[in-house]
Amino acid sequence: MTSKHPETLALHAGWRRDSATNAVAVPIYQTTSFQFDSSEHAANLFGLKELGNIYTRIMNPTQDAFEQRIAALEGGVAALGLASGQAASAFSVQNLARAGDNIVSSTDLYGGTWNLFANTLKDQGIETRFVDPTDPEAFARATDDRTRAYYAETLPNPKLIPFPIAEVAAIGRKFGIPLIMDNTAAPLLVRPFDHGAAVVMYSATKYLGGHGTSIGGVVIDGGNFDWEAHPTRQPLLNSPDPSYHGAVWTQAVKPLGPIAYILKMRVTLLRDLGAAMAPFNAFLFIQGLETLPLRMREHSRNALAVANFLAGRKGVTRVIHPAHHTGEAAARSAKYLPHGQGGLCGFELAGGTEAGRKFIDALKMVYHVANIGDARSLAIHPASTTHSQLTEAEQAATGVTPGYVRLSVGIEHIDDILADLSQALDAATA
Ligand code: PLP
């Protein structure tokens, strides 16, 4: 597929027809195993002399079509579908760092990622140094000889301030450190590889799937990072791997292209930890990708209209949306989100927690759920739900005030979205 247009790639990249039946839609290959042609074929597959299907924990044709399509849309070279976004975050780091190593991460993260880094990876001996994303140089200051990766979200909620991808990626490249971007909130709107990131991951559960049906994740290799040039900085890709007969990944994978990072993840972490994407979910994510360009445009258009509407409403003290920032944050939005700001929008109610709860309870069409990126509009009041275990000061540090409401604006007709928000605001501010 030679097109550069996401609308075309979303429908055609990575698949033409089924080689056995000529089926146009990607079949759900619901099989655990694949028959080898011969003992030589089997040995070649296991020895990575040839790439092919062995066992669905490691690779499957339905997963493969999804992986090729998202890699093409992202401008990367190869991808690995996984069971969840959490698995994708964990693997993206564990692929480079082991006990005694560290990563530097933005503080502005999804709560599940924060827990993974601050607790579970820490217990495994991988330290995360959290730094302020508004100060790119903070990444350099937190770096030492054992720093293996930088990590951030493109458009973290609740603040919705785009991360300085190019600035931090450039700092990392000087040290031989790749920037891993969680692009869950901004697929197609931001292509982190274009700004120098080396790895992109998604919770496919959100916009990629787009219909609130399936949990999944994916890691994409940009193929744009020279791992071999940094043998001491990146030992896991440059020294013999005892779990694969002493393979040195940058050397062993060379004939297959610049895919050492993602192939190692597949044949070691996925092999050993087993967080595989089910073929049926891969099929649903392919369906999601087919309309992703259309949906991101509509999400962006509707969320901007919602933000503008909220900005004029009595009882709303602040609107949080990339087009409503000022100063440095506004400059970031202009630089990274010139073609649409995504579907997320937050606002603060003067009436605090009480008003936030009343607003949520009064919604008739918009769903009250702890998710984002569904085609339907969704809302949540973080202070009384997702962030309720934090103190008010801790909540404030993450950007959550008592009257803060998060909206994931869907693709319903804008008049219906505004009507529901309007009547709920009336109820909350009465
Ligand atoms: N990253 C972000 C930005 C998320 O919002 C989420 C889920 O909410 C995750 C990662 C984790 O993804 P999953 O729920 O698919 O494991």
Side-chain angles (χ1 to χ4, degrees):
M1 174 49 52
T2 51
S3 176
K4 293 267 177 274
H5 299 293
E7 293 81 357
T8 309
L9 293 171
L11 289 158
H12 293 281
W15 180 262
R16 183 64 190 170
R17 59 176 175 171
D18 182 44
S19 54
T21 64
N22 282 358
V24 171
V26 181
I28 303 165
Y29 285 94
Q30 195 68 31
T31 180
T32 57
S33 324
F34 300 85
Q35 159 92 349
F36 303 119
D37 296 338
S38 63
S39 56
E40 189 194 358
H41 179 220
N44 283 346
L45 291 176
F46 276 92
L48 296 181
K49 291 199 183 95
E50 207 180 307
L51 279 187
N53 300 309
I54 299 176
Y55 186 63
T56 283
R57 169 152 42 79
I58 313 287
M59 187 165 168
N60 170 286
T62 318
Q63 293 163 359
D64 181 59
F66 166 67
E67 290 163 351
Q68 288 198 45
R69 195 159 289 180
I70 184 69
L73 283 167
E74 200 61 52
V77 290
L80 179 63
L82 294 165
S84 66
Q86 285 299 110
S89 306
F91 280 19
S92 71
V93 171
Q94 289 169 317
N95 208 38
L96 298 173
R98 62 183 158 193
D101 294 339
N102 66 73
I103 64 165
V104 182
S105 171
S106 162
T107 47
D108 290 5
L109 293 176
Y110 164 61
T113 313
W114 178 280
N115 250 324
L116 168 69
F117 289 178
N119 298 302
T120 299
L121 288 187
K122 183 173 165 220
D123 287 347
Q124 295 176 0
I126 299 169
E127 180 200 355
T128 300
R129 301 172 174 187
F130 292 103
V131 298
D132 176 1
T134 61
D135 176 12
E137 286 301 326
F139 282 78
R141 290 195 297 277
T143 298
D144 69 10
D145 288 349
R146 299 293 296 265
T147 304
R148 304 289 179 235
Y150 293 164
Y151 191 100
E153 286 182 25
T154 303
L155 187 60
N157 74 78
K159 294 177 193 164
L160 299 180
I161 301 173
F163 181 77
I165 305 172
E167 293 82 344
V168 174
I171 291 170
R173 280 175 186 272
K174 279 193 249 156
F175 291 109
I177 296 173
L179 173 62
I180 302 169
M181 289 304 305
D182 178 341
N183 204 38
T184 299
L188 302 182
L189 303 173
V190 181
R191 295 210 319 170
F193 296 142
D194 294 347
H195 301 287
V199 174
V200 169
M201 62 75 49
Y202 284 98
S203 165
T205 313
K206 310 295 175 347
Y207 291 104
L208 303 194
H211 297 81
T213 60
S214 325
I215 301 285
V218 63
V219 181
I220 305 148
D221 189 335
N224 60 359
F225 197 85
D226 191 355
W227 306 100
E228 213 181 330
H230 305 283
T232 46
R233 173 65 74 187
Q234 301 298 345
L236 293 192
L237 285 169
N238 284 293
S239 45
D241 185 339
S243 88
Y244 231 100
H245 310 302
V248 175
W249 291 110
T250 47
Q251 304 307 318
V253 175
K254 219 175 240 176
L256 303 172
I259 59 168
Y261 173 86
I262 205 74
L263 192 73
K264 170 187 178 289
M265 186 181 293
R266 184 186 295 279
V267 300
T268 62
L269 289 174
L270 183 57
R271 175 196 63 183
D272 298 346
L273 299 175
M277 175 180 279
F280 184 57
N281 281 7
F283 171 82
L284 292 172
F285 290 128
I286 291 167
Q287 299 306 295
L289 287 185
E290 292 195 346
T291 56
L292 185 65
L294 276 177
R295 283 187 288 108
M296 291 316 293
R297 269 203 292 275
E298 285 302 295
H299 281 297
S300 296
R301 203 164 67 123
N302 280 351
L304 179 60
V306 164
N308 293 342
F309 159 81
L310 290 168
R313 284 294 296 226
K314 179 171 122 307
V316 174
T317 50
R318 201 155 84 90
V319 173
I320 300 104
H321 180 273
H324 283 250
H325 292 319
T326 54
E328 178 66 24
R332 292 256 180 83
S333 295
K335 175 171 179 179
Y336 288 104
L337 295 165
H339 308 301
Q341 293 94 8
L344 302 179
C345 175
F347 63 98
E348 283 176 20
L349 286 163
T353 298
E354 193 50 32
R357 296 176 79 135
K358 271 194 196 156
F359 173 84
I360 294 284
D361 285 336
L363 289 169
K364 293 194 168 90
M365 181 187 79
V366 175
Y367 280 90
H368 177 205
V369 298
N371 191 24
I372 59 169
D374 196 316
R376 302 160 193 83
S377 289
L378 316 173
I380 198 156
H381 177 237
S384 62
T385 56
T386 52
H387 290 59
S388 58
Q389 270 99 50
L390 305 184
T391 64
E392 206 164 298
E394 286 169 337
Q395 287 183 7
T398 70
V400 169
T401 54
Y404 176 82
V405 174
R406 181 184 80 194
L407 299 175
S408 173
V409 180
I411 59 172
E412 301 95 343
H413 195 284
I414 187 63
D415 292 353
D416 295 322
I417 298 172
L418 295 184
D420 197 27
L421 298 179
S422 184
Q423 64 81 25
L425 278 172
D426 287 345
T429 53

